Amino acid sequence: MKTITILVPCYNEEAVLNQLYERIQVVIKGIDNYDFKYVFVNDGSTDGTIDILRKLHAINPNVHYVDLSRNFGKEIAMIAGLDHIDSDAVVIMDADLQDPPELLPDMIEWWQRGYKDVCAKRRSRDGESWFKKWSSRTYYRLLQRLTNVPIQIDVGDFRLLDRQCVEALKLFRESQRYTKGMFSWIGFDKKEILFDRDARAAGKTKWNYWKLFNLAIEGITSFSMAPLRIASFLGCVLSIASIIYMIYVIIKTLIFGEEVRGYPSLVSIILFIGGAQIFFLGIIGEYLGRIFNETKNRPLYLVKECDGEIVIKQKF
C-alpha cells in the first residue's frame, strides 16, 4: 500500500486546525488503497497551535508534528517538513482551508496516471483585494520575462509531489528560499488542475504587502540575473549620454564662444545620475547579501520538539 503524507506548515492557526483535520479526515476516508499520514510543522506559533497538534498526535498515531525553535518563515517550514517525511508522495497545503482538501482525490488520480507534480491552479481568489490580485498577476508575468525557468502563474504551494520530486527539493539547502521557483526549476511531469480558492476559514492572514514584496524580491534574485544586466546596460547608456553631452558643451563653447550656462539643469542631471548609481548599488547589494548569507552555512532551522520528544541532536 502506497503512503501519502499531508504536509501543513502552521503559524498561529489554532482557530482552524481542528476544522482542517476533520475535513481532511472526511476526504481520505473515501480514498481506498492508500495509507495517509500527517506532518504538521509548527513554525514558532505564539498561540495554542502546538497544544492542538499534541492532542491530534495523541488521538491519531498517523498525525506527526515538528515544532521549530522559533518562527523561520513558511518557506523554511516546508523544507523542514519535507526533511521529516518518508512516503511515496507528499501533499503540501495551507492550514487556513483556502486550499480545499476535496481536491485530494483528483490529485491522486493524476498522480496514478504518471504525473510527478500535480499542482492546483487558482481560477478565482475569494477574500483578496483587486490590488492584490492585479499585483500578483503582474509580478508573475514580470518574473516570467526575467528568468529562463518557466515559473507557473497562479500556482501556489498546494500540490501533490511524487517522492522523486521531494528528494530533488531536499537537495536545495539555500537559506533564502523561493519554493515556488524551485517547484518549476526541478522540472518533472507537471499537471495543473483548476480550483476556486476560498477565503480563510478563520483567523487572519500572516502575509502583508511588505512580506509579499520581500518574497517577490527573493523570487527575482533567486532565479534571475536580469536586474544586474539591466543595471549594467543602463549604466552604459548613462555614461554614453554623459560623454555625448560633454562633447556637445565643449564644442559649443570653443566654436561659438558661448558661456556654459544651465546650473539648474546641471544639478538635476547630477542628482539623477547619483540616484541611479545608488539604485544600481542597491541591486548589487541584494545579490551580495545573498552570497553573504549562504557562505555562513548556518542550518536552515532548529527543531525543539518532534512528536512529543525533545530534540537534542539536530538532523540535517
Side-chain angles (χ1 to χ4, degrees):
M1 183 178 293
K2 291 186 176 182
T3 57
I4 299 176
T5 298
I6 299 172
L7 170 59
V8 184
C10 305
Y11 178 64
N12 291 343
E13 300 290 357
E14 65 173 354
V16 74
L17 272 180
N18 287 317
Q19 185 180 349
L20 169 71
Y21 174 73
E22 292 171 1
R23 276 183 61 176
I24 295 177
Q25 283 292 94
V26 171
V27 172
I28 65 177
K29 284 180 180 178
I31 304 175
D32 299 324
N33 302 322
Y34 289 96
D35 184 19
F36 286 91
K37 297 180 180 179
Y38 299 84
V39 171
F40 293 91
V41 181
N42 180 38
D43 188 24
S45 299
T46 56
D47 61 357
T49 295
I50 188 61
D51 297 325
I52 295 175
L53 296 181
R54 288 173 180 147
K55 292 177 182 178
L56 292 176
H57 175 67
I59 64 176
N60 186 348
N62 287 327
V63 174
H64 306 278
Y65 67 89
V66 179
D67 185 21
L68 302 184
S69 61
R70 65 170 178 84
N71 177 244
F72 288 89
K74 182 184 176 183
E75 304 289 313
I76 299 296
M78 283 193 286
I79 188 61
L82 294 177
D83 286 341
H84 289 78
I85 287 174
D86 184 13
S87 59
D88 297 297
V90 175
V91 176
I92 303 175
M93 61 190 308
D94 290 340
D96 54 17
L97 286 173
Q98 288 188 288
D99 301 333
E102 290 75 18
L103 279 183
L104 286 175
D106 290 339
M107 288 182 164
I108 294 172
E109 180 181 351
W110 287 109
W111 177 48
Q112 289 175 330
R113 296 186 186 184
Y115 289 97
K116 301 292 186 180
D117 181 355
V118 184
C119 42
K121 182 173 183 177
R122 296 180 286 261
R123 179 167 46 201
S124 63
R125 306 168 69 163
D126 292 338
E128 295 184 359
S129 65
W130 171 87
F131 178 76
K132 187 174 182 180
K133 295 176 183 178
W134 173 83
S135 59
S136 176
R137 289 193 302 267
T138 303
Y139 165 71
Y140 280 113
R141 283 164 175 75
L142 174 63
L143 187 58
Q144 284 278 23
R145 294 180 178 273
L146 294 179
T147 179
N148 294 326
V149 180
I151 305 294
Q152 296 170 288
I153 298 176
D154 291 330
V155 175
D157 302 319
F158 185 28
R159 61 184 66 220
L160 182 149
L161 296 170
D162 182 81
R163 176 67 178 271
Q164 195 174 8
C165 295
V166 173
E167 293 301 321
L169 288 169
K170 288 163 69 173
L171 296 175
F172 291 74
R173 307 311 293 182
E174 53 204 70
S175 59
Q176 293 177 283
R177 307 176 67 83
Y178 184 69
T179 310
K180 294 178 181 63
M182 294 177 184
F183 290 143
S184 299
W185 191 94
I186 61 174
F188 297 105
D189 298 325
K190 300 185 184 299
K191 174 63 181 179
E192 296 180 354
I193 56 178
L194 297 175
F195 80 108
D196 297 311
R197 186 172 174 87
D198 298 328
R200 287 183 60 92
K204 297 181 179 179
T205 180
K206 312 306 182 299
W207 291 97
N208 54 39
Y209 284 110
W210 177 246
K211 290 183 178 179
L212 290 172
F213 175 76
N214 286 333
L215 183 64
I217 296 298
E218 291 289 345
I220 293 174
T221 55
S222 294
F223 290 91
S224 176
M225 297 288 289
L228 288 175
R229 291 171 182 162
I230 293 173
S232 298
F233 174 77
L234 291 178
C236 291
V237 170
L238 288 175
S239 297
I240 293 172
S242 300
I243 293 172
I244 293 174
Y245 182 72
M246 179 182 66
I247 294 174
Y248 165 76
V249 171
I250 293 173
I251 293 176
K252 185 180 178 182
T253 303
L254 292 176
I255 295 178
F256 299 101
E258 294 186 6
E259 297 181 0
V260 180
R261 299 177 180 178
Y263 176 77
S265 60
L266 183 61
V267 171
S268 300
I269 292 173
I270 292 174
L271 292 176
F272 170 74
I273 294 178
Q277 289 175 334
I278 294 173
F279 175 71
F280 297 155
L281 286 174
I283 294 176
I284 296 172
E286 284 289 335
Y287 286 93
L288 186 61
R290 296 184 65 86
I291 297 172
F292 172 70
N293 286 331
E294 298 302 330
T295 54
K296 288 185 288 189
N297 200 29
R298 292 176 179 174
L300 296 181
Y301 58 88
L302 294 174
V303 179
K304 180 168 58 177
E305 178 184 339
C306 188
D307 289 347
E309 297 183 2
I310 302 299
V311 175
I312 303 299
K313 186 177 181 180
Q314 303 288 332
K315 296 179 181 180
F316 303 102

